[in-house]
Amino acid sequence: PPTVEELSPFIARASTVEVGLGHVSESGTRLGRFSGLGDDGLFAVLGLDWIRTADYASDRPVTIRLRAEDLGLDVRSVRLDYRHHGRFGVYAEYDERSARFIDDAVTVYREQAPGRLTLPADWVAAPSTGDMTALLPSLHEFDVRSDRRSMAAGGDARFAERWHISSDFRQEDRDGHRAMAAMFGPTGGSPRAAFMPVPTDYRTREIDLAVNYADRQRQFRVRYHASLFDNNQPALTFANPYAGIGAWPSSAGYPDGIGQMALSPDNTFHQIGIGGSQSFSPTLNFSGEVAFGRMRQDDDFLALTINPVLAESIVQGLPRASLDGRIDTTAVNLRLAGRPGRRFNWTASYRLDDRDNRTPMGEFVYIGSDSQLQDAGETSSRRRFNLPHDYRDQRLRLAGNFRPAEATRLQAAVEHRRTDRTFTARERTEEDRLELGLRRNFSPHVNAAINLEWADRSGSTYDGAVGFRAGHSDAYVDTVPGGWGELPALRLYHLADRRRQGINLQSTITPDDAWAITLQGGVSEDDFRRSEIGLVEAGNEHVSADVSYSPNARWSAHAFLTHERITSDQDGFSFRGGGFREADLANPDRWWQARHRDRVDTLGLGLRRLLMDERLELRADYVHADARARINVQSGPALDTEPLPDLTSRRHTLDLAARYKITDQLSLSARWWFERYRTADWALDGIGPNQLADVILPFETSYDDRVHVLMLSVIHRWY
Amino acid sequence: TEEVYIEVPGHVANCLRCHDADSRHPVLEIFASPHAVLADPHTKFASEGCAACHGESLAHARLPAPAGGEPAEIAFMGQHRSDTDTLNKTCMNCHAGADMMHWQGSAHDFEEIACVDCHTIHTRADPATDSRGQVDNCTSCHTQQHAEMHRAFSHPVREGQMVCTDCHNAHGGVGPSDLKSMTVNENCYTCHAEKRGPFLWEHQPVREDCTHCHQPHGSVHRDLLTQRTPFLCQQCHMGQFHPSAALSGTGLPDDTIPSGSRSLLGRDCMNCHVQVHGSNHPSGVGQTR
């Protein structure tokens, strides 16, 4: 046996501290969106991994570990673990995450007070942005970003031979700003909108508790989960920058016009789950989980309108002060798994996802976007009922693996899925799915597989007007020709009849222990065979190759290449309402089609190398991702269409790193990270805040980045 | 100086005569792993040593396979690798229960994936439990998802801010696609709790399944949408006037300011319908409040 001294290099746990400096060359890049490297300039490279652990033979086997990562960035994390092996463990954690979506978005609004946005004192209102002479001088910047800070603590312990408990508590605070539009006027008539900074000030608390039992034959768990969401900014009030236009009551426009938006309401979710697994014999096992939950939301309603003049028109108030929203959830997942022999295994499973929406319905005579007088007439289209949708999804699946020979495996699965819904175009959809697979090992070094998928979805009678009728008063529906809102020929793609076919091929080649090559390719097609309008076809083709080479611990290389083509075809029919409605519907020249063709190519290369007697470690990674989305819209002669430019994104990322071990205790680390990222988007490129007559935009732009990140650090290592 | 030999249980001392630091598959780091903590009563290593996982293997001890003898009774790699069921049962002898409770019959079990296909045992740090190593591990097979992570719009996996196990339980999740939560939406609400509601004015597909509109592993379209808006919206909304309009290059701006279509530029439909995930404003019928 080895001596303690001989063994020590293999069992000692080193602690490390890393100190250094980094530099980012450009702000607001795609690279910085989630990485914490969103600002240009210097940043500190700081990290710590401190570990104290008893050796394997200690009679007090305790490990304490403190890890701190990216302390110099706003994606920093610190975690402390204390574990007494075999008895208990506890942890505490602090974590920050940052997401930067738009740097320097613009707005005409000022935050006068929390939750209240106003316009500059010298604001010049007009019905169109073209006449807002103070628009451009009034703009000021804000960042669209989200910063999350979470604290968590928890632990687990064995309190008896086979019993184990665990608990986790987490609190996350999220703040930042979103860019959302303050909108006035009815959407179907003469709307006006202006983007504004919408503050996010969320707190989410989560609790997880579980009691587990496990022996060789059976395991079970009882668990409790709670998620409590609080929004400290439940509403936002904003002024109307547009002068009143003819269709609005005069008080809706500037300077009296004022609007209010309801932001995400507080909500809670509590769930109790009971799960278990039982081995009836070495070849038969049952496992299942049943969970009962309740979502609740009961924030006080805002007023139908915040505009005091428009509020005077209210003759029918709110049916209640708050939603009293409640959805009771039941989720079941049961599975029987058998392995009667080495050549055959099977599973039978049942899954239920039931959401019983107990939210009461009510009649609301709404005031559109703080820009209308209330119309509570018997046949008013503004008499609306909220629709608490129920949902019940069930899946039954049987699957089997059979090996007719040692090197051949056949696989088959059948699945039946039934989904029931309320207040939707189809009360029931049913889907049958068949999967077949064949896998063969041609040699110890080469195997190949083919998998086929076929699925067919249909259901009860499709009635696209169900939601329309349920959401309006009968008196109003009677006034609408045909009694429908959306075109009857429209089929919603998640409810429509659909036939899906797919084939996937895969081969793995391992010439020796050093090489691994995986080749994959596949095609799938969705045919929405009875959809005249809406999504009618969708497809996906992909091929990929993944190669890795790792001859020894001192060096390895890998490469991957993928090509994907994603397609979808949708058909539409442009029709106007009112007096045009009948004539338009009878006109076949108002059809249009949109053909979507997305292509994505990704190439990745990587290399790891240890040199100089393993004192120097080199790492290089390169990724090229190129995507192009083409949308081709064509129409009948009654409509006018023109081509759209392609939407593109192209990224080159090169990441080079080196670490040199000066002594056993001291290393130098260097990293150069370069990213070239360009996108093109016709909805954003060159679109200034005043480009549209009726929307003041936030001046979001495409990316055109060329960013360098350089990091140099010293790593001290000790035992 | 006098050499101090380590105290090891069972046949370990004998095993280490061959499986030392120079072995092709060095094992000594297991002494720095939780598997070899002798004082942990649940670690069978304390009582049985290597035999706890590899079997007694007496024939192998007498004459190992490379010398013309026998392999270990339970071998986890190489040409003498035991069948997957045997390997996994070895691990499950200790690791059944809690998050591993639903392993039997799970997707990876059904595909006959062995624990050691992802996990490395004789090491201080198993790459499968390290954030970067885990993503590399998963994407070596799930190449489609790997490619999607590199698309223009994705969750921050390649930035190291998320890992696969934030959403999935590779050992048999209770939800579809081995999700850790019972349903897709429950899973999404873990980080996006503000979208849970319930809301007064619901958007039915949103209430049903986030993946009706979003592609969680990555998309070429903004906000991880499955299709570019406004066309995605028009796949379900085809009412009179603007929802059914044929939107195309005619809506792009010309040289004048202002010009262009509000249904196409900026956030298109979301220029006005800002609350597509649901609104709790009593006048928020059209998701504008």
Side-chain angles (χ1 to χ4, degrees):
Chain A
T3 65
V4 169
E5 189 175 285
E6 287 168 338
L7 199 56
S8 62
F10 303 98
I11 64 173
R13 298 296 300 262
S15 299
T16 59
V17 60
E18 181 175 17
V19 179
L21 267 183
H23 183 266
V24 183
S25 66
E26 192 177 335
S27 288
T29 62
R30 175 62 180 82
L31 181 145
R33 176 177 276 195
F34 299 117
S35 62
L37 299 167
D39 291 317
D40 63 1
L42 292 170
F43 65 92
V45 178
L46 288 173
L48 173 71
D49 185 0
W50 178 82
I51 186 165
R52 173 161 295 179
T53 184
D55 75 44
Y56 73 98
S58 168
D59 55 5
R60 190 171 175 274
V62 170
T63 299
I64 308 171
R65 189 172 189 184
L66 175 65
R67 276 173 292 178
E69 295 179 352
D70 297 321
L71 291 179
L73 301 172
D74 51 10
V75 290
R76 59 185 63 84
S77 65
V78 181
R79 180 178 168 110
L80 175 65
D81 286 278
Y82 180 98
R83 175 157 297 281
H84 189 128
H85 293 273
R87 293 179 62 187
F88 71 93
V90 292
Y91 73 91
E93 187 176 36
Y94 174 77
D95 186 46
E96 287 184 17
R97 294 183 189 191
S98 175
R100 298 174 61 148
F101 298 103
I102 314 175
D103 270 19
D104 305 330
V106 296
T107 182
V108 296
Y109 285 106
R110 273 73 174 147
E111 190 167 13
Q112 186 190 48
R116 186 174 183 83
L117 298 176
T118 59
L119 294 162
D122 56 352
W123 180 249
V124 178
S128 164
T129 58
D131 297 318
M132 292 178 173
T133 53
L135 194 160
L136 295 178
S138 301
L139 294 172
H140 73 106
E141 295 177 346
F142 70 102
D143 291 338
V144 180
R145 61 183 294 166
S146 166
D147 296 302
R148 297 175 185 245
R149 296 175 305 285
S150 69
M151 289 181 289
D156 61 274
R158 291 177 183 273
F159 62 94
E161 173 61 22
R162 297 186 174 95
W163 292 85
H164 177 247
I165 55 170
S166 66
S167 62
D168 297 275
F169 306 90
R170 178 175 295 274
Q171 174 173 299
E172 180 191 85
D173 291 305
R174 179 154 41 130
D175 55 38
H177 284 96
R178 305 168 65 195
M180 293 172 75
M183 190 256 183
F184 291 89
T187 57
S190 39
R192 296 291 186 272
F195 274 80
M196 57 185 173
V198 176
T200 48
D201 187 1
Y202 301 158
R203 171 167 287 181
T204 306
R205 284 163 291 166
E206 286 186 299
I207 302 167
D208 285 282
L209 304 171
V211 179
N212 298 275
Y213 172 88
D215 64 32
R216 289 193 182 188
Q217 269 69 48
R218 65 195 64 80
Q219 301 88 40
F220 69 82
R221 171 174 61 183
V222 179
R223 62 180 177 83
Y224 167 72
H225 169 73
S227 171
L228 314 170
F229 170 78
D230 294 312
N231 184 358
N232 295 317
Q233 188 71 63
L236 188 64
T237 304
F238 39 83
N240 187 350
Y242 293 89
I245 61 175
W248 300 355
S250 58
S251 67
Y254 184 85
D256 299 323
I258 185 170
Q260 190 176 42
M261 182 187 294
L263 302 178
S264 301
D266 297 351
N267 67 64
T268 61
F269 179 56
H270 298 270
Q271 187 180 58
I272 291 175
I274 302 165
S277 178
Q278 168 78 44
S279 289
F280 297 110
S281 72
T283 60
L284 185 64
N285 176 273
F286 166 81
S287 77
E289 184 99 7
V290 180
F292 304 96
R294 177 168 292 177
M295 303 179 195
R296 297 212 68 153
Q297 187 275 106
D298 200 25
D299 261 15
D300 287 346
F301 283 140
L302 302 176
L304 283 165
T305 176
I306 189 76
N307 186 315
V309 179
L310 303 179
E312 289 175 9
S313 68
I314 296 173
V315 294
Q316 182 168 328
L318 296 171
R320 52 185 184 273
S322 60
L323 181 63
D324 194 18
R326 174 181 147 190
I327 299 177
D328 293 343
T329 64
T330 305
V332 177
N333 183 2
L334 308 175
R335 185 168 56 223
L336 206 54
R339 197 177 291 272
R342 286 189 57 230
R343 291 186 182 275
F344 181 51
N345 65 300
W346 58 271
T347 63
S349 59
Y350 170 76
R351 184 184 291 280
L352 167 71
D353 172 9
D354 183 79
R355 305 176 211 169
D356 180 11
N357 198 330
R358 310 294 289 269
T359 305
M361 286 181 74
E363 187 180 44
F364 295 78
V365 186
Y366 75 91
I367 293 175
S369 305
D370 296 288
S371 311
Q372 296 173 322
L373 300 174
Q374 192 184 54
D375 175 4
E378 191 181 348
T379 59
S380 170
S381 64
R382 298 180 206 155
R383 285 191 173 276
R384 299 297 291 267
F385 298 88
N386 63 306
L387 303 178
H389 299 277
D390 289 332
Y391 178 77
R392 185 181 176 89
D393 185 44
Q394 300 176 85
R395 301 184 212 196
L396 187 62
R397 182 180 172 90
L398 298 169
N401 264 331
F402 175 60
R403 288 184 187 275
E406 190 61 36
T408 305
R409 191 181 74 180
L410 293 169
Q411 195 172 71
V414 291
E415 182 179 293
H416 179 73
R417 180 177 184 182
R418 173 180 167 150
T419 309
D420 297 275
R421 309 167 172 90
T422 58
F423 303 122
T424 56
R426 211 164 205 180
E427 285 187 353
R428 188 187 75 253
T429 54
E430 294 189 75
E431 184 169 38
D432 293 305
R433 178 186 302 270
L434 174 64
E435 297 165 14
L436 296 171
L438 169 65
R439 183 182 190 89
R440 177 150 178 84
N441 296 330
F442 294 98
S443 78
H445 306 294
V446 179
N447 68 55
I450 179 170
N451 290 285
L452 305 170
E453 179 193 16
W454 177 91
D456 190 37
R457 185 175 70 193
S458 60
S460 58
T461 304
Y462 193 100
D463 179 358
V466 167
F468 178 77
R469 288 196 299 269
H472 291 86
S473 69
D474 292 341
Y476 169 70
V477 172
D478 289 343
T479 68
V480 178
W484 47 262
E486 307 281 357
L487 279 166
L490 172 70
R491 294 290 179 270
L492 275 58
Y493 58 82
H494 66 297
L495 305 175
D497 284 5
R498 181 185 67 188
R499 186 161 289 163
R500 171 171 287 179
Q501 299 177 80
I503 179 170
N504 271 286
L505 302 167
Q506 178 179 337
S507 180
T508 303
I509 304 161
T510 50
D512 54 42
D513 283 353
W515 285 94
I517 302 166
T518 303
L519 306 173
Q520 286 190 20
V523 178
S524 73
E525 290 178 3
D526 286 352
D527 179 9
F528 297 84
R529 54 203 171 93
R530 290 189 180 152
S531 298
E532 292 177 51
I533 295 177
L535 186 62
V536 293
E537 279 186 28
N540 182 296
E541 300 167 13
H542 71 276
V543 290
S544 67
D546 192 292
V547 180
S548 68
Y549 177 63
S550 182
N552 53 51
R554 289 183 298 282
W555 86 281
S556 65
H558 75 270
F560 65 89
L561 177 68
T562 63
H563 171 77
E564 300 167 90
R565 189 165 171 270
I566 306 154
T567 64
S568 65
D569 296 348
Q570 68 182 101
D571 289 358
F573 186 87
S574 178
F575 77 111
R576 295 164 290 177
F580 300 107
R581 182 168 166 135
E582 296 298 325
D584 281 3
L585 289 172
N587 184 354
D589 294 337
R590 299 187 72 82
W591 282 88
W592 57 267
Q593 295 88 35
R595 304 286 177 256
H596 304 270
R597 301 290 180 267
D598 300 346
R599 177 186 58 71
V600 194
D601 294 292
T602 313
L603 167 70
L605 301 168
L607 181 72
R608 307 275 185 285
R609 189 83 167 97
L610 289 173
L611 296 166
M612 302 171 66
D613 197 21
E614 302 189 5
R615 301 183 79 83
L616 178 64
E617 179 187 354
L618 298 176
R619 183 171 61 77
D621 286 290
Y622 169 75
V623 173
H624 171 65
D626 186 276
R628 180 175 298 274
R630 178 163 294 166
I631 304 169
N632 181 17
V633 183
Q634 294 184 328
S635 68
L639 307 174
D640 185 20
T641 55
E642 294 285 339
L644 281 166
D646 291 349
L647 301 156
T648 61
S649 68
R650 177 170 292 182
R651 175 167 67 88
H652 298 271
T653 304
L654 181 62
D655 187 0
L656 302 177
R659 182 178 291 197
Y660 180 69
K661 191 189 289 186
I662 301 168
T663 66
D664 279 349
Q665 285 77 39
L666 198 66
S667 300
L668 283 177
S669 176
R671 184 180 179 189
W672 174 54
W673 195 1
F674 168 75
E675 188 159 291
R676 176 81 176 109
Y677 187 65
R678 293 187 72 179
T679 60
D681 188 330
W682 37 259
L684 307 176
D685 297 336
I687 307 296
N690 58 344
Q691 180 64 62
L692 291 172
D694 38 25
V695 183
I696 301 173
L697 291 165
F699 204 17
E700 188 175 1
T701 57
S702 288
Y703 287 103
D704 187 5
D705 306 339
R706 192 187 288 273
V707 58
H708 300 264
V709 181
L710 191 63
M711 285 181 259
L712 291 169
S713 61
V714 178
I715 300 164
H716 176 58
R717 177 184 165 102
W718 75 97
Y719 293 95
Chain B
T1 57
E2 185 184 358
E3 289 187 325
V4 179
Y5 289 88
I6 64 166
E7 291 182 16
V8 286
H11 303 287
V12 172
N14 194 41
C15 302
L16 295 184
R17 289 167 61 186
C18 296
H19 295 280
D20 60 8
D22 298 325
S23 147
R24 187 172 180 190
H25 301 296
V27 300
L28 295 179
E29 280 193 21
I30 197 170
F31 289 100
S33 81
H35 283 107
V37 174
L38 302 188
D40 181 349
H42 305 93
T43 304
K44 292 184 181 177
F45 192 85
S47 56
E48 300 175 34
C50 307
C53 298
H54 294 280
E56 284 276 313
S57 304
L58 295 177
H60 172 69
R62 279 193 288 271
L63 187 63
E70 295 294 322
E73 286 173 10
I74 302 174
F76 288 82
M77 58 172 61
Q79 60 178 319
H80 301 291
R81 176 170 149 148
S82 305
D83 67 86
T84 300
D85 192 37
T86 301
L87 297 183
N88 289 354
K89 279 182 174 163
T90 302
C91 301
M92 296 300 280
N93 277 340
C94 297
H95 290 284
D99 289 337
M100 240 79 75
M101 193 165 57
H102 301 300
W103 167 257
Q104 302 277 0
S106 68
H108 284 144
D109 177 48
F110 188 73
E111 289 294 331
E112 301 181 337
I113 307 291
C115 305
V116 291
D117 289 337
C118 301
H119 292 283
T120 310
I121 310 305
H122 303 116
T123 180
R124 313 158 200 248
D126 176 7
T129 60
D130 159 70
S131 58
R132 180 171 178 132
Q134 181 199 104
V135 174
D136 288 347
N137 230 3
C138 299
T139 55
S140 66
C141 292
H142 296 279
T143 57
Q144 176 95 21
Q145 285 74 18
H146 190 202
E148 289 172 0
M149 288 168 193
H150 284 285
R151 290 180 181 173
F153 302 92
S154 62
H155 279 108
V157 176
R158 75 180 177 92
E159 288 87 352
Q161 300 302 308
M162 281 184 75
V163 293
C164 308
T165 53
D166 285 342
C167 298
H168 298 279
N169 178 354
H171 305 111
V174 293
S177 302
D178 277 332
L179 288 174
K180 291 164 79 173
S181 300
M182 295 293 284
T183 70
V184 171
N185 282 23
E186 274 182 32
N187 219 74
C188 301
Y189 298 148
T190 306
C191 292
H192 304 282
E194 76 279 8
K195 295 184 171 59
R196 182 187 291 124
F199 298 98
L200 172 61
W201 306 109
E202 297 278 12
H203 190 177
Q204 190 271 334
V206 175
R207 170 58 55 205
E208 183 171 315
D209 191 331
C210 305
T211 61
H212 283 330
C213 298
H214 294 284
Q215 215 164 355
H217 295 111
S219 170
V220 297
H221 300 294
R222 57 190 181 190
D223 299 325
L224 287 81
L225 291 170
T226 55
Q227 188 53 271
R228 174 64 183 223
T229 55
F231 301 97
L232 175 64
C233 308
Q234 289 186 305
Q235 289 175 0
C236 291
H237 295 283
M238 198 57 56
Q240 62 190 16
F241 292 121
H242 74 278
S244 66
L247 299 166
S248 71
T250 55
L252 297 178
D254 54 30
D255 293 336
T256 59
I257 290 180
S259 63
S261 166
R262 67 167 179 263
S263 297
L264 200 66
L265 302 182
R267 301 276 178 87
D268 48 72
C269 304
M270 278 79 73
N271 284 335
C272 295
H273 303 279
V274 293
Q275 301 278 30
V276 291
H277 295 103
S279 169
N280 207 51
H281 193 293
S283 291
V285 178
Q287 258 76 25
T288 62
R289 280 288 185 269

